[in-house]
Amino acid sequence: MIISILGHGVVGKGVWDMLQNRSEFTVRNVLVKKGEKTASFMVESFDEVLGDDSELVIECMGGVDPAFKFTSECLKAGKSLITSNKALVAAHGIELMELARERNLSFLFSAACGGAIPILQNLHLARQSDSILWAGGILNGTTNYILDSMDRRNLSFEEALGQAKALGYAEADPTADLSGMDTMRKIMLISMVAYDVLPNSDYNLEGIQNVSACDFEVAKELGYTIRLLGRCGLAASGRLYSYVQPMLCPLSDIFAGVRLNTNLAQYQGQNSGLMGFSGQGAGRYPTASAILRDVWSVLGGQKQMLEKKCLVGFACNDAAECARSYFVRIDDEGLEKLSGKVGVQRIVRKDNGKTFAITDKVTIKVMHDAISELRSKGHVVFFAEMKEEA
Amino acid sequence: MIISILGHGVVGKGVWDMLQNRSEFTVRNVLVKKGEKTASFMVESFDEVLGDDSELVIECMGGVDPAFKFTSECLKAGKSLITSNKALVAAHGIELMELARERNLSFLFSAACGGAIPILQNLHLARQSDSILWAGGILNGTTNYILDSMDRRNLSFEEALGQAKALGYAEADPTADLSGMDTMRKIMLISMVAYDVLPNSDYNLEGIQNVSACDFEVAKELGYTIRLLGRCGLAASGRLYSYVQPMLCPLSDIFAGVRLNTNLAQYQGQNSGLMGFSGQGAGRYPTASAILRDVWSVLGGQKQMLEKKCLVGFACNDAAECARSYFVRIDDEGLEKLSGKVGVQRIVRKDNGKTFAITDKVTIKVMHDAISELRSKGHVVFFAEMKEEA
């Protein structure tokens, strides 16, 4: 099979390395940035890839523009497509899938969700014979590294973020990771594969920007640690829910055992029960290994990861399945306002004007709406789902 | 696709249930035991299945005899085969694979290792593009339930075993589980798929029969719990190692978070890094869900899970990759004899004539051989690998 690669950065270079000395594959062209051509297999013009004899193009450029232009032109030119670009799939996955389907080409994107972890391909296979009740997990290594460092090494948020940057886990601008948007994009991809629905992206999205060392102190006293969770699922009504938010999980829980920058994706199958998939969610060779598995799947004849036409959908986070207790840190006046909307089950600690409390069960929508309103009035709040013991 | 099922017990009934109301499949015949025919789709004679028009036979009878006779006759008659029977695959998997390959039929056995957990299919795909350095994990739910109950609920071994039986997790004769043989059979299947080598089965096999409440007491003081681990891998020499033994793992380790009867399979890929797969390793619908995934894989054209001709191999457990420290409980005289062969790093506790110690690193072969010799001289020993922090 003749392959061309778009991009020669962290992931693209890893894919190129892994494709060497494999008799099944020939790499024809690798698109690099202007002025970065240092070898004969590199080209600086996309037209050279578009016009070459590759049957499969692997996109590892990142970003939506010009990745969408390039990948859609490749599909239109009759080339199958593999990508590791979650922003591209979250923004244009439906169009790319339709382009591929109309032409009977392959379009796979395993590496765009969970790095090395084969959650998307396993969901794709599982849903043919089982019902996926929900899916999600710890899907961002940067935030997990920060949270784990704050927990086990008692670092401040700023210290942990600094170390994550120094280790190359966090980008210069870590906003997409810290805000939870990176996790949300992965949830969007999971939802596409599990439910043929692409949920709206900014709904009930809470990252880790508001977590502080004092939250870990109190969480530890309760026997918990803090993780960032994303999840989507089907309510009994048949409607989709999806969200990203921090989670207090018991130290004995499998999520608490997810260390450093590891990811853990899960799904609950009606017949299979709870399934977990853990591994490296990022990095050159872990991500490239997921792309290579997709290359072999294309060679084996796989065309797509979506069952049918994917729809854009609005998540409905006020179903009974969305009821959770929450851990909250807030000032006393804020707590009083909150208790008008969300029952407070108990006060855990009062300290320097801050109150740490556990709420009654409320739906995700009610909680996020209540916190939004409090923040709009200037209150500083950290909140996290209380994970129940499995 | 027309399908017949051999067996209508725990797993067979689950498969039958899951195949109902699926337009892609028709179940032609279900083989039941003499005198157990209670519905028109059931037959009591294997010849009725052999002579029917099914393209695929799903074997859920268990045991080697007559399962091997029936499955090999089905393959010879041109029917593809899926089985959940680990004893059958460990004993005759190579012959069944050759029968299928000669006839271009499918032979898949995902459900025979790890129940719902898709470790075999993921290894099969991963090894095409990555090198599997080792694979294994917690692969027996019965023993994990017993160990977790002893740890978290301070039960004795007998109490925990009794509860496992009452819950249906342990069979009336639990020898295969407790001895580690069930785990070893799963390691044999993993080795077939990952390395095309079926290792000998009774080599360096230590179960949980010798664990006692006092071992958990001491382990807890050290910050550890106890699990049963199986693993196979490639030494730098290219030779295979494989073993089953108890393991002390830190409370913060992901293995310590594997609760109740859950399984956690792992593999270390040269490029992917450490990958984990957790879920229900047994039970009607979890096991049936793995069989159904295989049914869809057959429908998608998959023929086999082995790359090439599988060889029978002898595990070599004295390689550098097999060096471990061990936790040992032994009488004082035994400890003195042991220390002639295995260095003692430190004594953890002395109590009523029993000594709890940590050894220097020795290879698996050296440790198992030393313990065998001590036991042959009447010494009572519990020993467990000290898992290093990941």
Side-chain angles (χ1 to χ4, degrees):
Chain A
M1 179 178 272
I2 300 172
I3 298 174
S4 285
I5 304 172
L6 305 181
H8 201 63
V10 172
V11 178
K13 170 72 161 63
V15 171
W16 193 85
D17 288 347
M18 283 187 73
L19 284 171
Q20 299 312 300
N21 305 314
R22 297 209 154 257
S23 57
E24 301 89 351
F25 309 110
T26 303
V27 178
R28 185 65 77 215
N29 286 306
V30 175
L31 180 67
V32 298
K33 291 179 188 160
K34 292 256 184 295
E36 296 190 359
K37 179 178 162 83
T38 56
S40 62
F41 61 82
M42 296 178 181
V43 297
E44 296 184 353
S45 157
F46 169 67
D47 289 341
E48 294 195 54
V49 172
L50 192 64
D52 72 17
D53 61 348
S54 59
E55 304 148 77
L56 170 67
V57 165
I58 300 172
E59 186 272 314
C60 314
M61 301 165 61
V64 174
D65 181 36
F68 177 55
K69 180 174 179 295
F70 289 179
T71 51
S72 52
E73 287 188 19
C74 285
L75 286 165
K76 286 176 189 164
K79 299 174 190 296
S80 285
L81 175 65
I82 290 172
T83 180
S84 60
N85 185 338
K86 73 190 80 69
L88 173 67
V89 181
H92 295 290
I94 295 179
E95 294 148 272
L96 293 170
M97 178 53 57
E98 291 305 317
L99 285 173
R101 202 187 298 266
E102 286 161 9
R103 289 159 181 79
N104 199 29
L105 298 169
S106 297
F107 171 47
L108 304 182
F109 50 89
S110 293
C113 176
I117 302 174
I119 179 66
L120 294 184
Q121 288 280 30
N122 279 279
L123 274 173
H124 170 66
L125 183 58
R127 66 165 288 189
Q128 294 178 314
S129 57
D130 203 355
S131 294
I132 311 299
L133 305 181
W134 56 257
I138 297 175
L139 297 169
N140 180 277
T142 308
T143 49
N144 203 67
Y145 182 85
I146 292 169
L147 295 172
D148 188 34
S149 302
M150 292 178 75
D151 181 38
R152 284 198 293 165
R153 296 189 289 129
N154 297 312
L155 300 189
S156 71
F157 180 82
E158 289 70 24
E159 288 167 336
L161 174 59
Q163 294 194 3
K165 283 185 180 176
L167 287 164
Y169 296 156
E171 295 176 53
D173 176 3
T175 311
D177 292 327
L178 303 183
S179 69
M181 181 50 84
D182 179 85
T183 298
M184 181 56 94
R185 288 196 182 115
K186 289 163 179 166
I187 292 295
M188 293 166 76
L189 270 51
I190 285 174
S191 176
M192 287 173 77
V193 172
Y195 302 117
D196 303 310
V197 177
L198 182 69
N200 46 338
S201 64
D202 57 352
Y203 190 61
N204 295 171
L205 168 64
E206 174 78 8
I208 66 161
Q209 310 100 318
N210 301 301
V211 73
S212 171
C214 63
D215 302 313
F216 278 95
E217 254 176 56
V218 179
K220 271 183 211 181
E221 281 178 19
L222 295 169
Y224 286 74
T225 186
I226 305 174
R227 293 290 185 258
L228 183 65
L229 175 82
R231 186 178 283 186
C232 59
L234 281 187
S237 64
R239 292 196 60 190
L240 187 79
Y241 63 89
S242 77
Y243 64 97
V244 173
Q245 63 190 10
M247 168 182 69
L248 254 69
C249 56
L251 291 182
S252 59
D253 189 88
I254 196 162
F255 275 115
V258 178
R259 305 345 257 299
L260 303 173
N261 61 338
T262 305
N263 286 195
L264 172 62
Q266 296 183 323
Y267 73 82
Q268 180 84 37
Q270 186 163 36
N271 288 298
S272 67
L274 180 62
M275 307 285 288
F277 301 81
S278 62
Q280 288 298 305
R284 169 168 287 172
Y285 292 109
T287 306
S289 77
I291 290 175
L292 266 280
R293 292 197 309 265
D294 275 357
V295 170
W296 279 91
S297 296
V298 170
L299 201 66
Q302 187 181 2
K303 298 295 177 188
Q304 38 81 39
M305 299 170 81
L306 306 188
E307 280 299 290
K308 48 189 180 186
K309 196 173 171 62
C310 187
L311 303 172
V312 175
F314 289 90
C316 120
N317 290 352
D318 50 5
E321 289 83 355
C322 297
R324 308 276 187 271
S325 271
Y326 285 87
F327 172 89
V328 188
R329 166 174 46 84
I330 194 168
D331 61 283
D332 290 343
E333 194 196 332
L335 184 69
E336 200 172 306
K337 288 182 195 161
L338 179 66
S339 64
K341 307 198 165 157
V342 175
V344 174
Q345 193 191 99
R346 66 187 173 104
I347 304 293
V348 176
R349 194 204 271 192
K350 279 181 176 285
D351 195 7
N352 274 325
K354 287 178 289 197
T355 299
F356 301 82
I358 309 281
T359 74
D360 290 337
K361 280 193 176 185
V362 290
T363 66
I364 295 159
K365 177 176 164 39
V366 165
M367 189 67 185
H368 282 245
D369 286 354
I371 300 298
S372 284
E373 195 180 325
L374 285 166
R375 285 180 177 155
S376 74
K377 290 177 181 157
H379 296 281
V380 173
V381 189
F382 171 75
F383 72 105
E385 171 180 349
M386 295 294 292
K387 185 170 196 291
E388 290 175 6
E389 278 270 14
Chain B
M1 180 178 271
I2 300 173
I3 298 174
S4 285
I5 304 172
L6 305 181
H8 201 63
V10 172
V11 177
K13 170 72 162 63
V15 171
W16 193 85
D17 288 347
M18 282 187 73
L19 283 170
Q20 299 311 299
N21 304 315
R22 297 211 154 255
S23 57
E24 300 88 350
F25 309 110
T26 303
V27 179
R28 183 66 77 218
N29 286 308
V30 175
L31 180 67
V32 299
K33 291 178 186 160
K34 293 255 183 296
E36 295 191 359
K37 178 178 162 79
T38 56
S40 61
F41 61 81
M42 296 177 180
V43 298
E44 296 183 354
S45 158
F46 169 67
D47 289 341
E48 293 196 55
V49 172
L50 192 64
D52 73 17
D53 60 349
S54 57
E55 304 148 76
L56 171 67
V57 165
I58 300 171
E59 187 271 315
C60 314
M61 302 164 62
V64 174
D65 181 36
F68 177 55
K69 179 175 179 296
F70 289 179
T71 52
S72 52
E73 288 189 18
C74 285
L75 285 166
K76 286 176 188 165
K79 300 173 191 294
S80 285
L81 174 65
I82 291 172
T83 179
S84 60
N85 185 337
K86 72 189 80 67
L88 173 66
V89 181
H92 296 290
I94 295 179
E95 293 147 273
L96 294 170
M97 178 52 58
E98 291 304 317
L99 285 174
R101 203 187 297 267
E102 286 161 9
R103 290 160 182 79
N104 198 30
L105 298 169
S106 298
F107 171 46
L108 304 182
F109 50 88
S110 293
C113 177
I117 301 174
I119 179 65
L120 294 184
Q121 287 280 28
N122 279 279
L123 274 173
H124 170 66
L125 183 58
R127 66 166 286 188
Q128 295 177 313
S129 56
D130 203 356
S131 295
I132 311 300
L133 305 181
W134 56 257
I138 296 175
L139 297 170
N140 181 277
T142 308
T143 49
N144 203 67
Y145 182 84
I146 291 170
L147 295 172
D148 188 35
S149 301
M150 291 178 75
D151 181 38
R152 284 197 295 164
R153 296 189 290 129
N154 297 313
L155 300 188
S156 71
F157 180 82
E158 290 70 24
E159 288 167 336
L161 174 59
Q163 292 194 4
K165 283 184 180 178
L167 286 164
Y169 297 156
E171 294 177 54
D173 176 3
T175 310
D177 292 327
L178 301 183
S179 69
M181 182 48 86
D182 179 84
T183 298
M184 182 55 94
R185 288 196 182 117
K186 289 163 180 166
I187 291 296
M188 293 167 75
L189 271 52
I190 285 175
S191 177
M192 287 174 78
V193 172
Y195 302 117
D196 302 310
V197 177
L198 182 68
N200 47 339
S201 64
D202 56 353
Y203 191 60
N204 294 172
L205 168 63
E206 174 77 8
I208 66 161
Q209 310 101 317
N210 301 300
V211 73
S212 170
C214 64
D215 302 312
F216 277 96
E217 255 177 56
V218 180
K220 270 182 213 182
E221 281 179 20
L222 296 170
Y224 286 74
T225 186
I226 305 174
R227 294 289 186 257
L228 183 65
L229 175 82
R231 186 178 284 186
C232 58
L234 281 188
S237 65
R239 293 196 60 190
L240 187 79
Y241 62 89
S242 77
Y243 63 97
V244 173
Q245 63 190 13
M247 168 181 69
L248 253 68
C249 56
L251 291 181
S252 60
D253 189 88
I254 197 163
F255 276 115
V258 178
R259 305 344 258 300
L260 303 173
N261 61 337
T262 305
N263 286 194
L264 172 62
Q266 296 183 322
Y267 73 82
Q268 180 84 37
Q270 187 163 36
N271 288 298
S272 67
L274 180 61
M275 307 284 288
F277 301 81
S278 62
Q280 288 297 305
R284 169 168 287 170
Y285 292 109
T287 306
S289 77
I291 290 175
L292 266 280
R293 291 197 309 263
D294 275 357
V295 170
W296 278 91
S297 296
V298 170
L299 201 65
Q302 187 180 3
K303 297 295 177 189
Q304 39 81 37
M305 298 170 81
L306 306 188
E307 280 299 289
K308 48 188 180 186
K309 196 171 171 66
C310 187
L311 304 171
V312 175
F314 289 90
C316 124
N317 290 351
D318 51 5
E321 290 82 356
C322 297
R324 309 275 188 270
S325 271
Y326 285 87
F327 171 90
V328 188
R329 164 174 48 84
I330 194 169
D331 60 284
D332 289 343
E333 194 196 331
L335 184 68
E336 200 170 306
K337 290 183 195 162
L338 179 67
S339 63
K341 307 200 165 155
V342 174
V344 174
Q345 193 190 100
R346 67 187 174 106
I347 305 293
V348 177
R349 194 204 273 192
K350 281 182 176 285
D351 194 8
N352 274 325
K354 288 177 291 198
T355 299
F356 300 83
I358 309 281
T359 74
D360 291 336
K361 281 192 174 183
V362 291
T363 66
I364 295 159
K365 177 175 164 41
V366 165
M367 188 67 186
H368 282 246
D369 287 354
I371 300 297
S372 284
E373 195 181 325
L374 286 166
R375 285 180 178 156
S376 74
K377 291 176 181 159
H379 295 281
V380 174
V381 190
F382 171 74
F383 72 106
E385 170 181 349
M386 295 294 292
K387 186 170 196 291
E388 288 175 6
E389 276 271 11

